[in-house]
Amino acid sequence: ISMMELPRLFKTEPTHDLQPDFRCWFDSDLGSYLLDAEAALIARILPDLFGYHALQVGQMVGRNLLESSRIRHRCVVDVQRPSVEGLSPLRAEPEKLPFANNSLDLVFIHHGLDGASSPHAVLREASRVLIPEGHLLILGFNPWSIWGFWRLFRLPWAALPWLRRPLSPQRLADWLALLDFEVVGLESAC
């Protein structure tokens, strides 16, 4: 039996790691501006979240984004050896977190879904390690925003990391509902 391969209607992006692209972009002036806006947003949210153990999934920037949290034990997990002052570093894949079921109070994903080859697997793993009343905080690009609008042009000079694998808030809310999460809020930083 011979199988005929049908031509693709849409080009698919290669599944390479986008984290280096995000890291370079966050070093730019525009990336620094967005990072400052995100840090201010996080600083308003984190003090109200309590618990014993907090985890940041992925290290896109060399900055402790959990510094305003009241949770004392804070870790960062990344595929590269993470190094951020104030966070305990662990090397692991976001889809295979080295934590027991129901062991963390807060999981913070900083643009980890924007660059993940399997964002649903990252969410499933975050769901697995969170305690039943735990908090999942996700920062990502909205493809239906001004930032995401550039995605429609796909110009060669617009090789921006968030244009490659957009994840809309509606799709994210659907995935979270399937994992029995309750969406408490949606904020915009820029």
Side-chain angles (χ1 to χ4, degrees), residues 1-5:
I1 297 175
S2 70
M3 298 290 288
M4 183 175 97
E5 188 172 323

Side-chain angles (χ1 to χ4, degrees), residues 166-187:
L167 183 62
S168 72
Q170 295 80 11
R171 175 181 268 180
L172 182 57
D174 288 344
W175 287 359
L176 292 171
L178 288 172
L179 294 168
D180 291 329
F181 280 102
E182 174 188 351
V183 177
V184 175
L186 177 66
E187 300 270 344

Side-chain angles (χ1 to χ4, degrees), residues 69-90:
S69 175
R70 292 183 184 189
I71 299 173
R72 294 205 182 260
H73 184 245
R74 304 175 203 149
C75 299
V76 59
V77 169
D78 196 57
V79 292
Q80 310 273 323
R81 175 130 174 104
S83 60
V84 176
E85 189 176 325
L87 298 174
S88 301
L90 292 169

Side-chain angles (χ1 to χ4, degrees), residues 150-163:
W150 287 101
R151 168 178 58 90
L152 300 176
F153 295 106
R154 297 256 184 193
L155 300 172
W157 51 266
L160 304 170
W162 69 84
L163 299 179

Side-chain angles (χ1 to χ4, degrees), residues 97-168:
L97 296 174
F99 296 98
N101 295 348
N102 305 319
S103 60
L104 300 173
D105 301 285
L106 169 66
V107 173
F108 169 55
I109 303 174
H110 182 249
H111 295 283
L113 301 180
D114 295 326
S117 58
S118 178
H120 196 269
V122 174
L123 287 176
R124 269 196 318 266
E125 192 65 1
S127 173
R128 180 188 69 78
V129 300
L130 271 173
I131 64 171
E133 295 298 318
H135 297 279
L136 177 62
L137 180 60
I138 301 170
L139 275 179
F141 289 103
N142 180 357
W144 307 117
S145 68
I146 298 290
W147 293 80
F149 184 67
W150 287 101
R151 168 178 58 90
L152 300 176
F153 295 106
R154 297 256 184 193
L155 300 172
W157 51 266
L160 304 170
W162 69 84
L163 299 179
R164 300 198 186 140
R165 298 185 193 132
L167 183 62
S168 72

